Amino acid sequence: MSKLITWLRQRASLQAWLLLLPSALWLFIFFIAPLFIVLVYSFLERGTYGGVVWHFTLENYRRVFDPLYLKTFWRSFYIAVLTTVFTLVLGYPLAYYIATRPQRQRGTWVLGLMIPFWTNFLVRTYAWLTLLRTHTGLINLTLMHLGWIHKPLPLFGNDTAIIIGLVYGWLPDMVLPIYATLERLDRSLLEAAMDLYASGPKVFARVIWPLSLPGVVAGSMLVFIPSLGAFVTPAILGGGKALMIGNIISNQFLAAHDWPFGSALSFVMMAVMLVATLVYFRVTSDEERRQL
Amino acid sequence: MSETYAVELKNVVKQFGEVVAVNGISLRIRDGEFFSLLGPSGCGKTTTLRLIAGFEMPTSGSVRIYGEEQGYLPPYQRPVNTVFQNYALFPHMTVAQNVAFGLEMRKVPKDEIKRRVAEALALVRLTGKENRRPKQLSGGQKQRVALARALVNRPKVLLLDEPLGALDLKLRKAMQSELKALQEQVGITFIYVTHDQEEALVMSDRIAVMNEGNVLQVGTPEEIYEHPQSRFVADFIGKTNFISGKVAVISGDRVDFRLPDGTMVAATLPEGAQVSAGDMATLSIRPEKIFVTPEGEQPLVGDAEALSQVSGRLVKIFYVGVERRYIVALADDTEVEVRVQNLDRRSRRCQPGDRVTLHWRRAHARLLKE
Amino acid sequence: MSEQALSRALSRRSQLARLKKQVSDLLFHAYGFWGYLFLYFPIIILVVFSFNDSRSTAQWAGFTTHWYADMLKDHQIILSLWNSLFVAIVSTTVSVIIGTLAALAMERYRFWGKLMMDAVLYLPIIIPDIAMAIMLLIFFDISGIGFEPWKVNFFGAHLAVPYSVIIGHVAFNISFVAVVVRARLAQMDQVLEEAAQDLYADPWRTFWRVTFPMLLPGILGGALLAFTLSMDDFVITFFTSGAGFNTLPVRVFGMIKKGVTPKINAVSTLMLLFSLMLVAISLILSRGGEKGDSSGNPMF
């Protein structure tokens, strides 16, 4: 036994792989292998009764660029970008607000973010459904009751509803990393800037904003990627009319039984995300990512 | 029969990839000695200590502890204990649990553990703090827990890695004498790593000065200070002046040395130095070993006639309480610092800008080869 | 300018600056207030209308706990709750064990293939659930593993949980556990492990006496995250369960699709309470961790 230990001691690589073995096996079998299968599927033809025919084709990818689907892709992209921008605009001041609270209070404020963050996404989306619905939603009913509007506002079953739902759903994901960078910011840097004649806005533009950029970039990634791949939000708030790429993909599996095409759609979606991730790794250093 | 050393390193080399951290050093540390490894950061002193502790394995060479080759023995099979730089106390254990840890690991009977932990804590004057957590202790107390945790195992050798580095100056001074007294009390060999030359001088029986992975000189504090064998050692330990010139005549350990302006001065040749007449060389003279007088006068010492004399111009005087520091420029603009206790009246008449004469004894001017 | 006039001008300038500061502080506080209101308003409304004595989820018609009683009588909901708990407990247990081992390897060793494993561990986190869901669906379908249920008596409830669901949950949870535990390991000073070895503890005992106790807050934090993600997951469960298997979120989604009723509000409130409980546990954990030594929040 002790000989075995001594032998192992001198082989760090082997030890590491022994520790990794269960998770590596699990992930290679149940994640990497499925990923490759989907890749292969995306080049196959669909069978007449669902299933696939083992015949190589690029048709699925051509169809992705069909105006019909390209439009949905473009809409999803546009919704994801808008969601990211809105969460940033709303979230940055919020993160800044938390970071400037007295040290003792900050924990409580962060906790205030964690509670919605830990609440089931489906529940949070459903909450908005009861607020946004056109004729029976709280917002329209209240506004009409107050006599401010006479006809319900189009708040449901469109991109607006989806963006509201997504912004709400992912806001904490934007705030937390920004807060993490702001909180770490050395106060003496701000004092130094003010000492060197920078006024409030200039301190922000020249010191705070550049130093919080890693958090902004990380937060944007955390919001953009799941927004682009959103499925639950459009399924609930899109009212069956406004769809995103996630819904089109799921339809290929649940309704249309066109698995190869669904696979191709997924791959194109993942390719967009991969590009975003690569950009993220390009613009940030290892150090910066570790701090989050 | 050869003597058994507490720790004996033979041609130990440690490489990390391309970087050579320890470059073939050999050391013999005697039983019961307080031995310091002294050098600037990155000189390999900590790596040397870790090689003895077993945290690193040498790339080549041998490490023996009381005659036994350590080879690839892991740390937990070596008869040494370490006091870590930032104490490395286990935060999830109490003081008593920390101290008992090593004994538990060696399966010492429970009641003996209890007794020895109490003894060890008494030794470091922490009785009554058994149930504190490391977080609740001051820096000095943590330091003492770390000591107790190591000493309780009665190691053959105690390794200390800059154990006082994290303490403030005053506490450090107090701990220095406490540590030294403790070492004398327990009689265990201490190997002490530090970058603080004063600390090393005050505490050690012997010091090894290290730089860039090499041991440059081993000796008692006095030997190291008074007889540095290299420019690095002279410069690193205390303050010294370097004056360059040329070797004129060598006779025995006496060297006649010519300064650039032609002045001849006398110096001492260190043992074993390979220098011949005509070589370029450097003199090292400690600032407190030089007398300064107004030009042409003699210092008030018995052997004034025998001193070497060099003239220069007084540039600046710094008053630092216990002494005055005179900066004197020689003919070639080499600046020489002289430290004079605030007792000497003669030097006090000199003002910046005055011509002055520097005097020193031959024994204090040591020749170092370039 | 006379000295008086100068000092008056200066004091006016400083007053103006003070006013500006007060106004901006006020605006800032107002923003903070509205920000948090935005976060909590929908949730509060959701909870309020779960007590509404009407089928409407927007017009108040008096207080009732009728919908909760209705919910408790609904066997489908109760069964789906048991399913959720079972899947979460099993997948958390498995993923915590193997995820922690992976974290140890990734944080404590330099080895061949590390960069690749880094990517493999990172991918399930960034890949959108819908992509992972369909990947697993195809995989289970063509690999022959299928959607066979694991028939189990779970505290008296007879469950039939497809293995595929549990496998899928473990697959995404490993990565999250590994990330949380790695963060904790990175904070941990390795010198403590050296100290243990110096005090005669072999690697095995070093792990159990030093590494593990100090890692525990991280492991529990990872477990909590995995448990929450598992309880909350809808998309992957939905696609990997085959027909007729419901976890609570899947059940709720089905109910929402059929129409909005206060009963859904009641179930949602229940889920909300559950999340609150988990947040509370995680808070207690992070406090405990801080007492032991300076640890971060296990939620990150």
Side-chain angles (χ1 to χ4, degrees):
Chain A
M1 186 66 192
S2 79
K3 255 190 191 156
L4 180 72
I5 289 171
T6 323
W7 185 77
L8 269 175
R9 220 181 112 77
Q10 288 153 23
R11 284 161 188 80
S13 210
L14 196 68
Q15 275 177 63
W17 276 106
L18 269 178
L19 291 170
L20 274 172
L21 194 65
S23 48
L25 274 179
W26 201 287
L27 288 173
F28 273 99
I29 297 173
F30 300 119
F31 185 79
I32 300 298
L35 191 67
F36 275 98
I37 293 170
V38 172
L39 181 63
V40 172
Y41 256 50
S42 70
F43 291 106
L44 299 180
E45 274 172 26
R46 76 177 283 202
T48 331
Y49 309 103
V52 286
V53 175
W54 285 84
H55 188 263
F56 178 84
T57 176
L58 286 172
E59 174 63 15
N60 299 310
Y61 284 96
R62 198 201 54 73
R63 265 178 77 201
V64 170
F65 295 96
D66 217 274
L68 179 67
Y69 296 109
L70 203 60
K71 216 178 107 197
T72 313
F73 245 111
W74 177 242
R75 274 234 346 269
S76 303
F77 185 75
Y78 150 90
I79 287 174
V81 168
L82 277 185
T83 301
T84 309
V85 170
F86 285 137
T87 46
L88 178 60
V89 171
L90 284 173
Y92 196 103
L94 207 56
Y96 194 84
Y97 182 74
I98 302 170
T100 52
R101 290 314 89 204
Q103 182 99 46
R104 283 164 173 278
Q105 288 179 20
R106 273 181 227 158
T108 317
W109 287 102
V110 172
L111 181 68
L113 279 179
M114 297 313 297
I115 290 169
F117 181 71
W118 278 55
T119 303
N120 193 310
F121 194 81
L122 202 61
V123 167
R124 288 186 287 158
T125 311
Y126 171 71
W128 276 99
L129 177 64
T130 68
L131 295 176
L132 294 177
R133 283 196 304 164
T134 316
H135 295 287
T136 51
L138 185 76
I139 293 175
N140 273 331
L141 282 178
T142 308
L143 290 178
M144 300 227 296
H145 184 74
L146 291 171
W148 293 6
I149 55 171
H150 298 291
K151 161 168 107 167
L153 296 172
L155 293 175
F156 180 70
N158 52 25
D159 293 356
T160 313
I162 296 175
I163 291 173
I164 291 175
L166 288 173
V167 168
Y168 181 74
W170 299 112
L171 186 63
D173 290 67
M174 179 65 89
V175 178
L176 289 170
I178 296 177
Y179 165 74
T181 50
L182 286 176
E183 207 249 341
R184 223 173 284 264
L185 209 96
D186 189 348
R187 277 207 81 75
S188 62
L189 291 177
L190 310 189
E191 284 161 6
M194 285 194 273
D195 183 62
L196 298 166
Y197 316 110
S199 61
K202 278 198 185 127
V203 173
F204 179 80
R206 299 286 298 274
V207 181
I208 300 173
W209 172 256
L211 287 174
S212 63
L213 266 182
V216 170
V217 176
S220 302
M221 287 294 295
L222 287 177
V223 173
F224 178 78
I225 287 184
S227 299
L228 186 64
F231 167 70
V232 171
T233 314
I236 293 177
L237 297 176
K241 283 168 278 177
L243 293 178
M244 289 177 68
I245 196 67
N247 309 94
I248 306 278
I249 292 173
S250 85
N251 281 347
Q252 305 312 312
F253 290 89
L254 299 177
H257 294 294
D258 193 345
W259 292 17
F261 181 50
S263 302
L265 282 170
S266 309
F267 253 92
V268 173
M269 178 179 80
M270 284 191 274
V272 175
M273 289 165 185
L274 186 69
V275 169
T277 312
L278 288 179
V279 169
Y280 171 62
F281 274 86
R282 252 298 145 76
V283 299
T284 56
S285 69
D286 237 14
E287 180 82 19
E288 287 166 345
R289 284 193 300 273
R290 239 167 205 283
Q291 285 177 1
L292 296 171
Chain B
M1 215 182 84
S2 69
E3 189 187 346
T4 304
Y5 293 96
V7 175
E8 191 175 8
L9 304 183
K10 241 188 230 157
N11 304 319
V12 172
V13 175
K14 178 64 189 176
Q15 279 178 289
F16 296 103
E18 294 288 292
V19 184
V20 183
V22 171
N23 191 11
I25 67 173
S26 297
L27 279 176
R28 286 168 166 179
I29 297 162
R30 296 182 196 123
D31 182 39
E33 213 174 15
F34 195 120
F35 191 92
S36 290
L37 296 171
L38 173 66
S41 61
C43 71
K45 57 191 192 296
T46 295
T47 307
T48 306
L49 197 76
R50 292 170 63 82
L51 284 163
I52 300 171
F55 300 131
E56 310 288 352
M57 298 302 162
T59 309
S60 69
S62 109
V63 176
R64 282 168 187 272
I65 297 176
Y66 284 95
E68 274 185 47
E69 177 62 46
Q70 299 297 307
Y72 275 88
L73 276 188
Y76 48 91
Q77 289 172 3
R78 295 193 182 201
V80 298
N81 286 111
T82 308
V83 175
F84 292 85
Q85 196 163 11
N86 292 310
Y87 324 130
L89 299 181
F90 304 123
H92 57 295
M93 298 181 196
T94 63
V95 167
Q97 285 168 338
N98 262 286
V99 177
F101 189 89
L103 298 176
E104 265 180 60
M105 290 299 126
R106 291 208 298 188
K107 305 203 169 75
V108 173
K110 279 245 159 63
D111 45 337
E112 194 189 335
I113 291 182
K114 218 169 154 189
R115 187 173 53 73
R116 279 169 71 174
V117 168
E119 269 174 27
L121 287 175
L123 186 70
V124 297
R125 295 183 289 112
L126 278 176
T127 309
K129 304 265 193 282
E130 288 83 356
N131 295 320
R132 298 274 179 97
R133 296 255 170 185
K135 256 205 159 168
Q136 300 165 296
L137 300 177
S138 70
Q141 287 172 332
K142 281 185 203 166
Q143 176 58 62
R144 296 211 289 262
V145 175
L147 265 171
R149 186 177 71 175
L151 286 173
V152 76
N153 304 294
R154 297 178 188 149
K156 289 187 166 170
V157 179
L158 186 69
L159 310 173
L160 303 99
D161 186 5
E162 307 230 10
L164 307 182
L167 302 179
D168 64 48
L169 188 65
K170 215 168 169 185
L171 194 53
R172 200 152 78 212
K173 298 270 180 213
M175 283 301 292
Q176 279 174 11
S177 44
E178 202 171 310
L179 208 54
K180 178 72 184 163
L182 194 68
Q183 192 258 343
E184 280 162 9
Q185 192 184 339
V186 296
I188 291 172
T189 310
F190 275 34
I191 303 180
Y192 192 95
V193 161
T194 181
H195 67 271
D196 181 337
Q197 41 114 351
E198 195 188 320
E199 199 167 284
L201 291 176
V202 169
M203 301 171 77
S204 318
D205 296 321
R206 285 196 307 149
I207 299 172
V209 183
M210 292 185 67
N211 189 37
E212 292 174 348
N214 294 302
V215 171
L216 299 181
Q217 191 172 350
V218 182
T220 63
E222 196 175 338
E223 281 166 2
I224 298 273
Y225 186 81
E226 301 287 346
H227 308 294
Q229 281 166 358
S230 60
R231 188 178 174 128
F232 180 86
V233 174
D235 201 26
F236 189 75
I237 314 288
K239 164 77 190 169
T240 196
N241 293 298
F242 293 115
I243 301 170
S244 30
K246 202 180 242 174
V247 176
V249 186
I250 304 175
S251 50
D253 72 340
R254 182 192 164 102
V255 179
D256 288 303
F257 192 74
R258 192 194 307 278
L259 301 187
D261 67 341
T263 313
M264 291 295 287
V265 294
T268 304
L269 198 62
E271 227 173 287
Q274 306 265 315
V275 185
S276 45
D279 283 356
M280 292 303 293
T282 303
L283 293 187
S284 156
I285 315 169
R286 301 278 182 199
E288 73 277 11
K289 304 275 161 85
I290 305 178
F291 303 102
V292 59
T293 61
E295 187 158 48
E297 294 187 28
Q298 295 287 355
L300 292 174
V301 287
D303 57 348
E305 300 294 325
L307 302 187
S308 293
Q309 294 186 359
V310 179
S311 60
R313 187 175 49 83
L314 182 55
V315 180
K316 222 172 167 112
I317 304 175
F318 296 102
Y319 175 76
V320 284
V322 294
E323 63 191 20
R324 273 163 208 267
R325 296 182 183 168
Y326 295 80
I327 307 297
V328 175
L330 303 186
D332 63 339
D333 284 338
T334 305
E335 288 198 339
V336 174
E337 186 180 318
V338 183
R339 294 181 181 178
V340 183
Q341 284 206 326
N342 280 329
L343 277 170
D344 184 62
R345 288 178 168 275
R346 182 145 298 204
S347 60
R348 225 183 276 176
R349 295 207 317 271
C350 307
Q351 292 302 322
D354 290 357
R355 299 294 307 174
V356 293
T357 305
L358 304 178
H359 314 256
W360 63 75
R361 294 192 177 93
R362 180 174 74 86
H364 294 147
R366 297 187 51 85
L367 189 97
L368 304 172
K369 202 177 173 193
E370 279 293 275
Chain C
M1 219 189 313
S2 78
E3 216 164 279
Q4 263 190 339
L6 185 73
S7 92
R8 224 179 298 135
L10 276 176
S11 98
R12 201 174 305 134
R13 236 174 84 182
S14 93
Q15 272 175 7
L16 201 69
R18 207 175 126 208
L19 193 71
K20 233 170 98 181
K21 171 111 177 62
Q22 280 171 343
V23 170
S24 69
D25 275 1
L26 197 72
L27 284 174
F28 206 34
H29 274 293
Y31 186 84
F33 174 77
W34 285 105
Y36 276 86
L37 190 69
F38 173 66
L39 284 173
Y40 281 91
F41 181 71
I43 298 178
I44 293 166
I45 294 297
L46 180 86
V47 174
V48 168
F49 280 94
S50 71
F51 296 104
N52 192 18
D53 196 3
S54 146
R55 282 197 70 80
S56 164
T57 53
Q59 270 171 322
W60 185 249
F63 181 86
T64 181
T65 52
H66 167 79
W67 301 109
Y68 286 89
D70 214 21
M71 169 183 85
L72 293 176
K73 270 184 275 172
D74 187 330
H75 294 299
Q76 290 283 354
I77 291 178
I78 302 303
L79 181 68
S80 65
L81 174 64
W82 285 119
N83 281 335
S84 275
L85 283 171
F86 183 75
V87 170
I89 288 170
V90 174
S91 72
T92 300
T93 309
V94 176
S95 56
V96 161
I97 294 168
I98 67 182
T100 300
L101 293 179
L104 279 168
M106 298 302 288
E107 205 59 40
R108 284 287 187 261
Y109 292 90
R110 292 173 71 184
F111 56 93
W112 180 85
K114 186 171 176 175
L115 211 64
M116 178 193 67
M117 259 329 273
D118 235 339
V120 169
L121 278 167
Y122 193 54
L123 266 177
I125 296 179
I126 57 165
I127 216 162
D129 354 3
I130 184 72
M132 189 150 169
I134 62 120
M135 276 160 48
L136 286 167
L137 170 65
I138 296 181
F139 175 78
F140 287 125
D141 186 73
I142 69 158
S143 66
I145 296 173
F147 308 96
E148 278 305 303
W150 176 3
K151 296 214 170 75
V152 63
N153 184 336
F154 184 57
F155 296 110
H158 294 279
L159 308 181
V161 181
Y163 288 106
S164 51
V165 171
I166 290 171
I167 289 172
H169 280 227
V170 172
F172 66 74
N173 273 337
I174 291 174
S175 303
F176 285 97
V177 171
V179 163
V180 175
V181 176
R182 272 181 83 173
R184 173 81 195 177
L185 269 170
Q187 277 180 3
M188 248 173 73
D189 200 344
Q190 236 171 306
V191 80
L192 290 170
E193 285 158 25
E194 284 184 352
Q197 299 223 339
D198 186 63
L199 296 164
Y200 316 109
D202 56 40
W204 182 250
R205 284 202 279 184
T206 300
F207 179 79
W208 287 111
R209 291 296 300 271
V210 176
T211 316
F212 182 74
M214 296 197 51
L215 203 53
L216 199 58
I219 294 174
L220 291 177
L224 209 61
L225 182 64
F227 191 79
T228 308
L229 290 171
S230 194
M231 283 296 286
D232 281 0
D233 176 69
F234 160 70
V235 179
I236 289 167
T237 313
F238 187 61
F239 281 87
T240 55
S241 59
F245 174 76
N246 284 318
T247 56
L248 200 50
V250 175
R251 184 86 208 117
V252 168
F253 185 79
M255 288 163 80
I256 294 172
K257 280 286 166 191
K258 275 195 212 134
V260 173
T261 74
K263 189 163 144 191
I264 304 176
N265 291 42
V267 180
S268 300
T269 305
L270 183 81
M271 291 165 83
L272 186 72
L273 277 177
F274 196 79
S275 308
L276 277 178
M277 205 176 73
L278 291 178
V279 172
I281 294 174
S282 106
L283 264 187
I284 292 164
L285 279 183
S286 72
R287 288 276 154 75
E290 263 159 44
K291 218 183 275 166
D293 104 295
S294 63
S295 74
N297 190 327
M299 288 187 276
F300 301 104

